[in-house]
Amino acid sequence: MIRAYEAYRDEGYTDVIVVHLSAGISGTYQTALQAAQMVEGINIHPIDSKIACLVEGAFVFRALDMIEEGKHIDEILSDLEDMRQNNSAYLVVDDLKNLHKSGRITGAQAWVGNLLRMKPVLTFEEGLIVPYEKVRTKKRALKLIEDKILEVAEQYTTPTIIIIGGDNKEESRNVYKEMIEQYPDYNILFSEFGPVISSHLGLGGFGIGIVNRHIEMPKVDE
């Protein structure tokens, strides 16, 4: 991080905005704060997104758009802070074993080992992954998180819904296609969990997130 910050400074940049995975599940944000204090001659602005995956990435796309529009750094940071207060994400996993072993989930002790055939639905609260509800089948779990995101979307002025697929590519693609067909007025994007997040979620992971901004990114090839 220090080398990167110094390189930007040497190229003539005055400010660097750095968006990080939620500090509730990763130490990267704290590392960024320490690195920022060790570099002189440039203003470093680490941001704890309090979220993950493309919902976190949406902060980057938003910042880039505002930079291209010539917005002042203070205006960009203020907008990103507001954006952090207006997003949600819900996850469905086959079981909690991986999340429990890695310590990435909070308040799930009563669930672990007692789910039988239930599917756990999780959400983010203050940057932490916490249990939301237990549902009997995967189909019901997917319907539940879809309904929750649509409920949030109705409250937002410019919502972008983000489908986050896991190892079951056919399942996630089907959800994405069904949603863009059923809700053509919403901006809906598709993405996938990266390898690090996938290793913590385990098999069968799927998520839907939302931000209160219109976010554009290249479409995924069909």
Side-chain angles (χ1 to χ4, degrees), residues 20 61 86 98 113 135 148 164 192 202 210:
H20 290 288
F61 286 108
N86 292 280
N98 287 46
V135 184
K148 288 300 300 183
I164 311 168
E192 295 180 333
I210 187 170

Side-chain angles (χ1 to χ4, degrees), residues 76-109:
I76 298 173
L77 294 173
S78 177
D79 187 88
L80 296 180
E81 172 61 29
D82 179 77
M83 187 173 167
R84 186 169 64 175
Q85 303 301 319
N86 292 280
N87 66 65
S88 299
Y90 292 87
L91 309 172
V92 177
V93 293
D94 278 349
D95 59 58
L96 298 176
K97 290 186 296 185
N98 287 46
L99 283 167
H100 183 59
K101 289 178 180 178
S102 65
R104 259 59 181 190
I105 186 170
T106 299
Q109 285 75 12

Side-chain angles (χ1 to χ4, degrees), residues 74-195:
D74 292 339
E75 187 175 355
I76 298 173
L77 294 173
S78 177
D79 187 88
L80 296 180
E81 172 61 29
D82 179 77
M83 187 173 167
R84 186 169 64 175
Q85 303 301 319
N86 292 280
N87 66 65
S88 299
Y90 292 87
L91 309 172
V92 177
V93 293
D94 278 349
D95 59 58
L96 298 176
K97 290 186 296 185
N98 287 46
L99 283 167
H100 183 59
K101 289 178 180 178
S102 65
R104 259 59 181 190
I105 186 170
T106 299
Q109 285 75 12
W111 282 21
V112 176
N114 191 37
L115 284 171
L116 299 177
R117 296 184 179 179
M118 304 291 281
K119 293 298 178 184
V121 176
L122 313 170
T123 190
F124 277 84
E125 288 185 4
E126 293 300 316
L128 299 172
I129 300 177
V130 299
Y132 180 73
E133 194 167 324
K134 290 179 287 187
V135 184
R136 179 62 64 183
T137 65
K138 183 71 171 288
K139 183 177 180 180
R140 290 182 180 179
L142 295 177
K143 183 66 168 62
L144 172 65
I145 64 174
E146 180 181 321
D147 288 346
K148 288 300 300 183
I149 289 297
L150 291 170
E151 185 179 306
V152 175
E154 292 178 357
Q155 303 171 21
Y156 286 173
T157 54
T158 53
T160 294
I161 296 172
I162 301 170
I163 307 298
I164 311 168
D167 55 292
N168 191 333
K169 295 181 180 296
E170 182 179 359
E171 176 184 75
S172 56
R173 283 288 187 173
N174 287 339
V175 173
Y176 172 62
K177 290 179 179 178
E178 288 173 3
M179 287 197 70
I180 60 175
E181 290 173 0
Q182 293 178 25
Y183 309 102
D185 293 336
Y186 283 133
N187 182 36
I188 303 176
L189 306 179
F190 180 86
S191 65
E192 295 180 333
F193 292 111

